[in-house]
Amino acid sequence: MLTLDCPYCGLAKDETELSYGGEAHLKRHGPGSSAAEMEEYLFTRENPKGLHFERWRCSAGCGKWFHAARCTVTMEVFGTYAAQTFEPPAEIKKAITAKRPGWTWRNFQ
Amino acid sequence: MSEPYVSVARLDGIAMITVRADLADKAVVKAVKTSTGMTVPATASALMDGDSGLGWMSPDELLVVCPETERAATVDGLTANLSKSHALVVDVSDARAVFELKGAAVRDVLAKLVPTDTHTDALPQNALRRTRFGQVAGAFWFQDATTVRIVCFRSVADYMHRMLDQSTAAGSEVFAT
């Protein structure tokens, strides 16, 4: 069972109270973008064995979307943070570096 | 058949009003105070006094509970006082059902149905939790140490009532008394 802290409720919520929202930090390519960019936006997804960034919604609680950084192998959660961010905040990156030195995920490191 | 070890009752005559507004906005807090005489509760908590009270539902949603007789006046008061803020006041009484559980083992009954930790260390008496009961969404708060009120959508009230009846049936106690 995956347990995540909702940054809005400030409470630990278990998987059954949350909804999964796919990969985090996708850049939407709109009108004027190339076919390759559109393909990237629609279909190309990370499928890592290890560190991953995801979107989750506190669906049976406050209803807010948030981001989570976790490990897909150990189910370890490095932290959760607000959805209104383009990249993981410094404290999340620091928490990941402490456990997984030299980590990279897409353009982040 | 013997009596249930925690009593279950569906309550009538309790109105619920949803206020959508930024609860961190001082003007909103003041308007709610002027309208209801109560302070906006802290995150994930409720301030209840009998059939009246306020509950924190999300950073931008407030639940206003009042007796049926004060329903129209409360909606009008909130709408008028919040007219200058970016806010929405909606009477949701007819969309919801209220249940009351009463008994010493009330936290044990909750623990059967919700994924929330219901121990007193994790769930203080002023807490309001939005979660799921079995398969439906619901919220609950404490009226006092042995009384819990549960709100859910009216469309799932029958499911909720049966589930609560089953969970409180004599012989289904979690701990022997």
Side-chain angles (χ1 to χ4, degrees), chain B residues 12-52:
Chain B
D12 286 320
I14 294 174
M16 274 173 280
I17 300 153
T18 286
V19 176
R20 294 302 299 244
D22 182 3
L23 300 182
D25 184 349
K26 286 200 173 71
V28 170
V29 174
K30 203 176 162 201
V32 170
K33 175 95 179 168
T34 314
S35 314
T36 62
M38 288 175 285
T39 319
V40 172
T43 300
S45 67
L47 289 170
M48 294 290 163
D49 179 18
D51 288 343
S52 297

Side-chain angles (χ1 to χ4, degrees), chain A residues 23 45-53 70-73 104-105:
Chain A
E23 188 176 317
R45 293 291 179 270
E46 294 293 301
N47 186 22
K49 187 175 178 184
L51 175 68
H52 198 26
F53 293 87
R70 70 178 183 98
C71 178
T72 58
V73 177
T104 57
W105 187 87

Side-chain angles (χ1 to χ4, degrees), chain A residues 1 7-17 58-64, chain B residues 20 43-44 56-61 115-116 122 128-132 137-138:
Chain A
M1 179 69 73
Y8 298 97
C9 299
L11 301 166
K13 296 277 177 177
D14 89 37
E15 204 176 326
T16 61
E17 297 175 272
C58 189
S59 53
C62 66
K64 300 292 176 200
Chain B
R20 294 302 299 244
T43 300
W56 184 96
M57 300 291 270
S58 86
D60 59 0
E61 184 176 342
T116 310
L128 181 149
R129 290 287 183 273
R130 288 178 82 174
T131 180
R132 63 175 179 84

Side-chain angles (χ1 to χ4, degrees), chain A residues 51 78 93-104 109:
Chain A
L51 175 68
F78 301 107
K93 288 183 172 178
K94 208 175 150 190
I96 300 168
T97 306
K99 298 274 177 59
R100 304 275 191 283
W103 65 275
T104 57
Q109 54 190 4

Side-chain angles (χ1 to χ4, degrees), chain A residues 9-85:
Chain A
C9 299
L11 301 166
K13 296 277 177 177
D14 89 37
E15 204 176 326
T16 61
E17 297 175 272
L18 304 168
S19 301
Y20 178 62
E23 188 176 317
H25 305 300
L26 293 176
K27 181 174 174 6
R28 185 179 185 279
H29 290 281
S33 57
S34 67
E37 283 172 337
M38 198 61 189
E39 188 206 8
E40 157 88 24
Y41 164 58
L42 287 176
F43 305 115
T44 317
R45 293 291 179 270
E46 294 293 301
N47 186 22
K49 187 175 178 184
L51 175 68
H52 198 26
F53 293 87
E54 295 168 331
R55 297 194 303 161
W56 286 87
R57 182 171 173 261
C58 189
S59 53
C62 66
K64 300 292 176 200
W65 284 97
F66 61 90
H67 285 150
R70 70 178 183 98
C71 178
T72 58
V73 177
T74 62
M75 300 296 265
E76 179 179 8
V77 179
F78 301 107
T80 54
Y81 51 101
Q84 292 76 20
T85 47

